[in-house]
PDB file of all heavy atoms in Angstrom:
ATOM      1  N   ALA A   1      48.865 -96.645  27.661  1.00 98.00           N
ATOM      2  CA  ALA A   1      50.321 -96.657  27.485  1.00 98.00           C
ATOM      3  C   ALA A   1      51.050 -96.103  28.697  1.00 98.00           C
ATOM      4  O   ALA A   1      52.144 -96.578  29.029  1.00 98.00           O
ATOM      5  CB  ALA A   1      50.696 -95.862  26.231  1.00 98.00           C
ATOM      6  N   ASP A   2      50.488 -95.102  29.356  1.00 98.00           N
ATOM      7  CA  ASP A   2      51.172 -94.520  30.517  1.00 98.00           C
ATOM      8  C   ASP A   2      51.323 -95.561  31.624  1.00 98.00           C
ATOM      9  O   ASP A   2      52.404 -95.712  32.215  1.00 98.00           O
ATOM     10  CB  ASP A   2      50.398 -93.315  31.050  1.00 98.00           C
ATOM     11  CG  ASP A   2      50.427 -92.140  30.092  1.00 98.00           C
ATOM     12  OD1 ASP A   2      51.260 -92.146  29.159  1.00 98.00           O
ATOM     13  OD2 ASP A   2      49.612 -91.211  30.276  1.00 98.00           O
ATOM     14  N   GLU A   3      50.242 -96.292  31.906  1.00 98.00           N
ATOM     15  CA  GLU A   3      50.301 -97.337  32.928  1.00 98.00           C
ATOM     16  C   GLU A   3      51.276 -98.446  32.515  1.00 98.00           C
ATOM     17  O   GLU A   3      51.997 -99.000  33.349  1.00 98.00           O
ATOM     18  CB  GLU A   3      48.914 -97.921  33.180  1.00 98.00           C
ATOM     19  CG  GLU A   3      47.950 -96.975  33.891  1.00 98.00           C
ATOM     20  CD  GLU A   3      47.193 -96.055  32.942  1.00 98.00           C
ATOM     21  OE1 GLU A   3      47.648 -95.882  31.779  1.00 98.00           O
ATOM     22  OE2 GLU A   3      46.149 -95.514  33.351  1.00 98.00           O
ATOM     23  N   LEU A   4      51.303 -98.756  31.214  1.00 98.00           N
ATOM     24  CA  LEU A   4      52.228 -99.786  30.727  1.00 98.00           C
ATOM     25  C   LEU A   4      53.672 -99.366  30.977  1.00 98.00           C
ATOM     26  O   LEU A   4      54.493-100.167  31.458  1.00 98.00           O
ATOM     27  CB  LEU A   4      51.996-100.045  29.244  1.00 98.00           C
ATOM     28  CG  LEU A   4      52.977-101.021  28.576  1.00 98.00           C
ATOM     29  CD1 LEU A   4      52.981-102.377  29.266  1.00 98.00           C
ATOM     30  CD2 LEU A   4      52.656-101.177  27.090  1.00 98.00           C
ATOM     31  N   GLU A   5      54.004 -98.119  30.673  1.00 98.00           N
ATOM     32  CA  GLU A   5      55.373 -97.655  30.898  1.00 98.00           C
ATOM     33  C   GLU A   5      55.723 -97.654  32.382  1.00 98.00           C
ATOM     34  O   GLU A   5      56.838 -98.027  32.767  1.00 98.00           O
ATOM     35  CB  GLU A   5      55.558 -96.268  30.290  1.00 98.00           C
ATOM     36  CG  GLU A   5      55.517 -96.284  28.765  1.00 98.00           C
ATOM     37  CD  GLU A   5      56.098 -95.029  28.153  1.00 98.00           C
ATOM     38  OE1 GLU A   5      55.377 -94.032  28.064  1.00 98.00           O
ATOM     39  OE2 GLU A   5      57.293 -95.052  27.776  1.00 98.00           O
ATOM     40  N   GLN A   6      54.773 -97.256  33.209  1.00 98.00           N
ATOM     41  CA  GLN A   6      55.011 -97.285  34.656  1.00 98.00           C
ATOM     42  C   GLN A   6      55.253 -98.705  35.141  1.00 98.00           C
ATOM     43  O   GLN A   6      56.142 -98.955  35.968  1.00 98.00           O
ATOM     44  CB  GLN A   6      53.813 -96.683  35.392  1.00 98.00           C
ATOM     45  CG  GLN A   6      53.616 -95.192  35.190  1.00 98.00           C
ATOM     46  CD  GLN A   6      52.325 -94.716  35.840  1.00 98.00           C
ATOM     47  OE1 GLN A   6      52.035 -95.002  36.994  1.00 98.00           O
ATOM     48  NE2 GLN A   6      51.530 -93.987  35.082  1.00 98.00           N
ATOM     49  N   LEU A   7      54.465 -99.652  34.620  1.00 98.00           N
ATOM     50  CA  LEU A   7      54.606-101.042  35.044  1.00 98.00           C
ATOM     51  C   LEU A   7      55.935-101.628  34.571  1.00 98.00           C
ATOM     52  O   LEU A   7      56.622-102.338  35.325  1.00 98.00           O
ATOM     53  CB  LEU A   7      53.432-101.870  34.519  1.00 98.00           C
ATOM     54  CG  LEU A   7      53.347-103.328  34.988  1.00 98.00           C
ATOM     55  CD1 LEU A   7      53.335-103.431  36.504  1.00 98.00           C
ATOM     56  CD2 LEU A   7      52.108-104.002  34.399  1.00 98.00           C
ATOM     57  N   LEU A   8      56.317-101.339  33.338  1.00 98.00           N
ATOM     58  CA  LEU A   8      57.598-101.825  32.827  1.00 98.00           C
ATOM     59  C   LEU A   8      58.766-101.269  33.658  1.00 98.00           C
ATOM     60  O   LEU A   8      59.718-101.994  33.975  1.00 98.00           O
ATOM     61  CB  LEU A   8      57.765-101.428  31.360  1.00 98.00           C
ATOM     62  CG  LEU A   8      56.891-102.197  30.362  1.00 98.00           C
ATOM     63  CD1 LEU A   8      56.935-101.530  28.991  1.00 98.00           C
ATOM     64  CD2 LEU A   8      57.324-103.658  30.259  1.00 98.00           C
ATOM     65  N   THR A   9      58.661-100.011  34.034  1.00 98.00           N
ATOM     66  CA  THR A   9      59.698 -99.415  34.880  1.00 98.00           C
ATOM     67  C   THR A   9      59.731-100.085  36.251  1.00 98.00           C
ATOM     68  O   THR A   9      60.799-100.382  36.790  1.00 98.00           O
ATOM     69  CB  THR A   9      59.447 -97.903  35.030  1.00 98.00           C
ATOM     70  OG1 THR A   9      59.485 -97.287  33.739  1.00 98.00           O
ATOM     71  CG2 THR A   9      60.500 -97.261  35.923  1.00 98.00           C
ATOM     72  N   GLN A  10      58.544-100.344  36.802  1.00 98.00           N
ATOM     73  CA  GLN A  10      58.461-101.023  38.100  1.00 98.00           C
ATOM     74  C   GLN A  10      59.088-102.413  38.037  1.00 98.00           C
ATOM     75  O   GLN A  10      59.668-102.896  39.017  1.00 98.00           O
ATOM     76  CB  GLN A  10      56.996-101.115  38.531  1.00 98.00           C
ATOM     77  CG  GLN A  10      56.769-101.739  39.898  1.00 98.00           C
ATOM     78  CD  GLN A  10      55.310-101.663  40.309  1.00 98.00           C
ATOM     79  OE1 GLN A  10      54.664-100.624  40.194  1.00 98.00           O
ATOM     80  NE2 GLN A  10      54.755-102.776  40.776  1.00 98.00           N
ATOM     81  N   LEU A  11      58.983-103.055  36.872  1.00 98.00           N
ATOM     82  CA  LEU A  11      59.552-104.399  36.677  1.00 98.00           C
ATOM     83  C   LEU A  11      61.023-104.350  36.258  1.00 98.00           C
ATOM     84  O   LEU A  11      61.596-105.372  35.905  1.00 98.00           O
ATOM     85  CB  LEU A  11      58.735-105.154  35.623  1.00 98.00           C
ATOM     86  CG  LEU A  11      57.293-105.500  36.010  1.00 98.00           C
ATOM     87  CD1 LEU A  11      56.505-105.984  34.790  1.00 98.00           C
ATOM     88  CD2 LEU A  11      57.264-106.559  37.109  1.00 98.00           C
ATOM     89  N   HIS A  12      61.605-103.133  36.264  1.00 98.00           N
ATOM     90  CA  HIS A  12      63.038-102.929  35.999  1.00 98.00           C
ATOM     91  C   HIS A  12      63.410-103.122  34.534  1.00 98.00           C
ATOM     92  O   HIS A  12      64.542-103.521  34.222  1.00 98.00           O
ATOM     93  CB  HIS A  12      63.892-103.827  36.901  1.00 98.00           C
ATOM     94  CG  HIS A  12      63.580-103.687  38.363  1.00 98.00           C
ATOM     95  ND1 HIS A  12      63.784-102.515  39.065  1.00 98.00           N
ATOM     96  CD2 HIS A  12      63.042-104.570  39.252  1.00 98.00           C
ATOM     97  CE1 HIS A  12      63.406-102.672  40.321  1.00 98.00           C
ATOM     98  NE2 HIS A  12      62.935-103.907  40.463  1.00 98.00           N
ATOM     99  N   TYR A  13      62.477-102.827  33.637  1.00 98.00           N
ATOM    100  CA  TYR A  13      62.803-102.748  32.213  1.00 98.00           C
ATOM    101  C   TYR A  13      63.259-101.333  31.908  1.00 98.00           C
ATOM    102  O   TYR A  13      62.682-100.365  32.417  1.00 98.00           O
ATOM    103  CB  TYR A  13      61.600-103.127  31.348  1.00 98.00           C
ATOM    104  CG  TYR A  13      61.313-104.617  31.377  1.00 98.00           C
ATOM    105  CD1 TYR A  13      60.745-105.215  32.496  1.00 98.00           C
ATOM    106  CD2 TYR A  13      61.638-105.435  30.295  1.00 98.00           C
ATOM    107  CE1 TYR A  13      60.502-106.578  32.551  1.00 98.00           C
ATOM    108  CE2 TYR A  13      61.399-106.805  30.332  1.00 98.00           C
ATOM    109  CZ  TYR A  13      60.832-107.360  31.471  1.00 98.00           C
ATOM    110  OH  TYR A  13      60.599-108.716  31.517  1.00 98.00           O
ATOM    111  N   GLN A  14      64.278-101.214  31.081  1.00 98.00           N
ATOM    112  CA  GLN A  14      64.813 -99.910  30.716  1.00 98.00           C
ATOM    113  C   GLN A  14      64.605 -99.667  29.229  1.00 98.00           C
ATOM    114  O   GLN A  14      64.675-100.590  28.418  1.00 98.00           O
ATOM    115  CB  GLN A  14      66.306 -99.826  31.048  1.00 98.00           C
ATOM    116  CG  GLN A  14      66.612 -99.851  32.541  1.00 98.00           C
ATOM    117  CD  GLN A  14      68.097 -99.676  32.800  1.00 98.00           C
ATOM    118  OE1 GLN A  14      68.937-100.371  32.213  1.00 98.00           O
ATOM    119  NE2 GLN A  14      68.447 -98.739  33.677  1.00 98.00           N
ATOM    120  N   LYS A  15      64.394 -98.402  28.904  1.00 97.00           N
ATOM    121  CA  LYS A  15      64.211 -98.018  27.505  1.00 97.00           C
ATOM    122  C   LYS A  15      65.580 -97.720  26.904  1.00 97.00           C
ATOM    123  O   LYS A  15      66.230 -96.736  27.270  1.00 97.00           O
ATOM    124  CB  LYS A  15      63.285 -96.805  27.406  1.00 97.00           C
ATOM    125  CG  LYS A  15      62.636 -96.629  26.055  1.00 97.00           C
ATOM    126  CD  LYS A  15      61.574 -95.535  26.124  1.00 97.00           C
ATOM    127  CE  LYS A  15      60.740 -95.500  24.862  1.00 97.00           C
ATOM    128  NZ  LYS A  15      59.698 -94.437  24.948  1.00 97.00           N
ATOM    129  N   ILE A  16      66.016 -98.591  26.024  1.00 97.00           N
ATOM    130  CA  ILE A  16      67.315 -98.455  25.370  1.00 97.00           C
ATOM    131  C   ILE A  16      67.085 -98.400  23.875  1.00 97.00           C
ATOM    132  O   ILE A  16      66.447 -99.289  23.301  1.00 97.00           O
ATOM    133  CB  ILE A  16      68.244 -99.627  25.736  1.00 97.00           C
ATOM    134  CG1 ILE A  16      68.438 -99.701  27.261  1.00 97.00           C
ATOM    135  CG2 ILE A  16      69.579 -99.501  25.014  1.00 97.00           C
ATOM    136  CD1 ILE A  16      69.187-100.926  27.724  1.00 97.00           C
ATOM    137  N   ASP A  17      67.577 -97.337  23.234  1.00 96.00           N
ATOM    138  CA  ASP A  17      67.349 -97.124  21.794  1.00 96.00           C
ATOM    139  C   ASP A  17      65.859 -97.174  21.467  1.00 96.00           C
ATOM    140  O   ASP A  17      65.440 -97.706  20.426  1.00 96.00           O
ATOM    141  CB  ASP A  17      68.099 -98.166  20.957  1.00 96.00           C
ATOM    142  CG  ASP A  17      69.616 -98.056  21.122  1.00 96.00           C
ATOM    143  OD1 ASP A  17      70.095 -96.923  21.338  1.00 96.00           O
ATOM    144  OD2 ASP A  17      70.298 -99.094  21.050  1.00 96.00           O
ATOM    145  N   GLY A  18      65.043 -96.643  22.401  1.00 96.00           N
ATOM    146  CA  GLY A  18      63.608 -96.532  22.168  1.00 96.00           C
ATOM    147  C   GLY A  18      62.812 -97.797  22.438  1.00 96.00           C
ATOM    148  O   GLY A  18      61.605 -97.816  22.184  1.00 96.00           O
ATOM    149  N   ILE A  19      63.446 -98.866  22.966  1.00 98.00           N
ATOM    150  CA  ILE A  19      62.761-100.142  23.174  1.00 98.00           C
ATOM    151  C   ILE A  19      62.964-100.600  24.618  1.00 98.00           C
ATOM    152  O   ILE A  19      64.096-100.675  25.109  1.00 98.00           O
ATOM    153  CB  ILE A  19      63.305-101.218  22.212  1.00 98.00           C
ATOM    154  CG1 ILE A  19      63.162-100.758  20.759  1.00 98.00           C
ATOM    155  CG2 ILE A  19      62.572-102.547  22.424  1.00 98.00           C
ATOM    156  CD1 ILE A  19      63.908-101.622  19.772  1.00 98.00           C
ATOM    157  N   TYR A  20      61.876-100.929  25.288  1.00 98.00           N
ATOM    158  CA  TYR A  20      61.975-101.439  26.654  1.00 98.00           C
ATOM    159  C   TYR A  20      62.566-102.849  26.648  1.00 98.00           C
ATOM    160  O   TYR A  20      62.152-103.701  25.851  1.00 98.00           O
ATOM    161  CB  TYR A  20      60.593-101.454  27.317  1.00 98.00           C
ATOM    162  CG  TYR A  20      60.164-100.092  27.824  1.00 98.00           C
ATOM    163  CD1 TYR A  20      59.328 -99.281  27.060  1.00 98.00           C
ATOM    164  CD2 TYR A  20      60.610 -99.621  29.052  1.00 98.00           C
ATOM    165  CE1 TYR A  20      58.943 -98.029  27.520  1.00 98.00           C
ATOM    166  CE2 TYR A  20      60.228 -98.366  29.521  1.00 98.00           C
ATOM    167  CZ  TYR A  20      59.397 -97.578  28.749  1.00 98.00           C
ATOM    168  OH  TYR A  20      59.018 -96.333  29.208  1.00 98.00           O
ATOM    169  N   GLN A  21      63.516-103.060  27.553  1.00 98.00           N
ATOM    170  CA  GLN A  21      64.184-104.363  27.603  1.00 98.00           C
ATOM    171  C   GLN A  21      64.778-104.610  28.982  1.00 98.00           C
ATOM    172  O   GLN A  21      64.945-103.694  29.785  1.00 98.00           O
ATOM    173  CB  GLN A  21      65.262-104.449  26.534  1.00 98.00           C
ATOM    174  CG  GLN A  21      66.227-103.273  26.521  1.00 98.00           C
ATOM    175  CD  GLN A  21      67.005-103.194  25.217  1.00 98.00           C
ATOM    176  OE1 GLN A  21      68.009-103.896  25.033  1.00 98.00           O
ATOM    177  NE2 GLN A  21      66.541-102.359  24.303  1.00 98.00           N
ATOM    178  N   HIS A  22      65.082-105.868  29.236  1.00 98.00           N
ATOM    179  CA  HIS A  22      65.644-106.303  30.510  1.00 98.00           C
ATOM    180  C   HIS A  22      66.813-107.237  30.199  1.00 98.00           C
ATOM    181  O   HIS A  22      66.729-108.019  29.241  1.00 98.00           O
ATOM    182  CB  HIS A  22      64.562-107.032  31.323  1.00 98.00           C
ATOM    183  CG  HIS A  22      64.922-107.291  32.745  1.00 98.00           C
ATOM    184  ND1 HIS A  22      65.819-108.263  33.137  1.00 98.00           N
ATOM    185  CD2 HIS A  22      64.479-106.692  33.892  1.00 98.00           C
ATOM    186  CE1 HIS A  22      65.925-108.255  34.455  1.00 98.00           C
ATOM    187  NE2 HIS A  22      65.137-107.320  34.940  1.00 98.00           N
ATOM    188  N   PRO A  23      67.890-107.194  30.975  1.00 96.00           N
ATOM    189  CA  PRO A  23      69.043-108.034  30.640  1.00 96.00           C
ATOM    190  C   PRO A  23      68.794-109.531  30.771  1.00 96.00           C
ATOM    191  O   PRO A  23      69.490-110.339  30.139  1.00 96.00           O
ATOM    192  CB  PRO A  23      70.122-107.571  31.632  1.00 96.00           C
ATOM    193  CG  PRO A  23      69.381-106.909  32.743  1.00 96.00           C
ATOM    194  CD  PRO A  23      68.173-106.301  32.110  1.00 96.00           C
ATOM    195  N   SER A  24      67.806-109.940  31.587  1.00 97.00           N
ATOM    196  CA  SER A  24      67.637-111.381  31.819  1.00 97.00           C
ATOM    197  C   SER A  24      66.194-111.863  31.791  1.00 97.00           C
ATOM    198  O   SER A  24      65.938-113.050  31.986  1.00 97.00           O
ATOM    199  CB  SER A  24      68.261-111.757  33.175  1.00 97.00           C
ATOM    200  OG  SER A  24      67.633-111.049  34.233  1.00 97.00           O
ATOM    201  N   ARG A  25      65.252-110.963  31.535  1.00 98.00           N
ATOM    202  CA  ARG A  25      63.844-111.354  31.546  1.00 98.00           C
ATOM    203  C   ARG A  25      63.161-110.914  30.249  1.00 98.00           C
ATOM    204  O   ARG A  25      63.692-110.102  29.492  1.00 98.00           O
ATOM    205  CB  ARG A  25      63.116-110.742  32.756  1.00 98.00           C
ATOM    206  CG  ARG A  25      63.719-111.171  34.088  1.00 98.00           C
ATOM    207  CD  ARG A  25      62.939-110.627  35.268  1.00 98.00           C
ATOM    208  NE  ARG A  25      61.629-111.270  35.395  1.00 98.00           N
ATOM    209  CZ  ARG A  25      61.430-112.430  35.997  1.00 98.00           C
ATOM    210  NH1 ARG A  25      62.447-113.094  36.527  1.00 98.00           N
ATOM    211  NH2 ARG A  25      60.216-112.934  36.100  1.00 98.00           N
ATOM    212  N   LYS A  26      61.972-111.474  30.020  1.00 98.00           N
ATOM    213  CA  LYS A  26      61.211-111.153  28.810  1.00 98.00           C
ATOM    214  C   LYS A  26      59.741-110.996  29.197  1.00 98.00           C
ATOM    215  O   LYS A  26      59.234-111.692  30.074  1.00 98.00           O
ATOM    216  CB  LYS A  26      61.377-112.287  27.788  1.00 98.00           C
ATOM    217  CG  LYS A  26      60.687-112.053  26.457  1.00 98.00           C
ATOM    218  CD  LYS A  26      60.916-113.227  25.501  1.00 98.00           C
ATOM    219  CE  LYS A  26      62.329-113.259  24.991  1.00 98.00           C
ATOM    220  NZ  LYS A  26      62.489-114.238  23.876  1.00 98.00           N
ATOM    221  N   ILE A  27      59.069-110.067  28.543  1.00 98.00           N
ATOM    222  CA  ILE A  27      57.638-109.855  28.757  1.00 98.00           C
ATOM    223  C   ILE A  27      56.843-110.840  27.899  1.00 98.00           C
ATOM    224  O   ILE A  27      57.229-111.148  26.764  1.00 98.00           O
ATOM    225  CB  ILE A  27      57.223-108.415  28.387  1.00 98.00           C
ATOM    226  CG1 ILE A  27      57.887-107.398  29.320  1.00 98.00           C
ATOM    227  CG2 ILE A  27      55.705-108.255  28.398  1.00 98.00           C
ATOM    228  CD1 ILE A  27      57.384-107.409  30.743  1.00 98.00           C
ATOM    229  N   ILE A  28      55.726-111.332  28.446  1.00 98.00           N
ATOM    230  CA  ILE A  28      54.716-112.004  27.623  1.00 98.00           C
ATOM    231  C   ILE A  28      53.416-111.229  27.785  1.00 98.00           C
ATOM    232  O   ILE A  28      52.898-111.082  28.901  1.00 98.00           O
ATOM    233  CB  ILE A  28      54.499-113.477  28.024  1.00 98.00           C
ATOM    234  CG1 ILE A  28      55.812-114.264  27.967  1.00 98.00           C
ATOM    235  CG2 ILE A  28      53.471-114.121  27.084  1.00 98.00           C
ATOM    236  CD1 ILE A  28      55.680-115.743  28.314  1.00 98.00           C
ATOM    237  N   PHE A  29      52.896-110.704  26.684  1.00 98.00           N
ATOM    238  CA  PHE A  29      51.631-109.977  26.672  1.00 98.00           C
ATOM    239  C   PHE A  29      50.503-110.932  26.310  1.00 98.00           C
ATOM    240  O   PHE A  29      50.640-111.736  25.382  1.00 98.00           O
ATOM    241  CB  PHE A  29      51.666-108.845  25.638  1.00 98.00           C
ATOM    242  CG  PHE A  29      52.649-107.751  25.934  1.00 98.00           C
ATOM    243  CD1 PHE A  29      53.838-107.648  25.213  1.00 98.00           C
ATOM    244  CD2 PHE A  29      52.390-106.807  26.917  1.00 98.00           C
ATOM    245  CE1 PHE A  29      54.744-106.631  25.463  1.00 98.00           C
ATOM    246  CE2 PHE A  29      53.294-105.783  27.184  1.00 98.00           C
ATOM    247  CZ  PHE A  29      54.466-105.690  26.456  1.00 98.00           C
ATOM    248  N   VAL A  30      49.366-110.821  27.018  1.00 98.00           N
ATOM    249  CA  VAL A  30      48.254-111.746  26.780  1.00 98.00           C
ATOM    250  C   VAL A  30      47.227-111.196  25.784  1.00 98.00           C
ATOM    251  O   VAL A  30      46.158-111.774  25.622  1.00 98.00           O
ATOM    252  CB  VAL A  30      47.546-112.142  28.096  1.00 98.00           C
ATOM    253  CG1 VAL A  30      48.521-112.779  29.064  1.00 98.00           C
ATOM    254  CG2 VAL A  30      46.834-110.946  28.733  1.00 98.00           C
ATOM    255  N   GLY A  31      47.539-110.090  25.100  1.00 97.00           N
ATOM    256  CA  GLY A  31      46.637-109.568  24.076  1.00 97.00           C
ATOM    257  C   GLY A  31      45.746-108.442  24.579  1.00 97.00           C
ATOM    258  O   GLY A  31      45.795-108.034  25.740  1.00 97.00           O
ATOM    259  N   ASP A  32      44.900-107.935  23.667  1.00 98.00           N
ATOM    260  CA  ASP A  32      44.025-106.782  23.904  1.00 98.00           C
ATOM    261  C   ASP A  32      44.841-105.523  24.184  1.00 98.00           C
ATOM    262  O   ASP A  32      44.810-104.942  25.280  1.00 98.00           O
ATOM    263  CB  ASP A  32      43.016-107.049  25.018  1.00 98.00           C
ATOM    264  CG  ASP A  32      41.791-107.803  24.523  1.00 98.00           C
ATOM    265  OD1 ASP A  32      41.815-108.265  23.349  1.00 98.00           O
ATOM    266  OD2 ASP A  32      40.816-107.923  25.278  1.00 98.00           O
TER     267      ASP A  32
END
């Protein structure tokens, strides 16, 4: 989870109301 949060921050996702989000992009997770 720590690496995931670092990566999301690097990709310019912000935690708003406890949920990471981006104004114009969306994550796709490949599982596992």
Side-chain angles (χ1 to χ4, degrees):
D2 292 345
E3 290 87 341
L4 175 57
E5 291 197 277
Q6 292 174 49
L7 186 56
L8 287 169
T9 300
Q10 183 174 313
L11 293 168
H12 306 296
Y13 287 74
Q14 293 184 309
K15 201 171 190 179
I16 302 172
D17 296 328
I19 303 169
Y20 280 97
Q21 51 197 278
H22 191 286
S24 60
R25 301 183 70 83
K26 183 180 288 191
I27 295 290
I28 303 182
F29 295 106
V30 302
D32 277 9

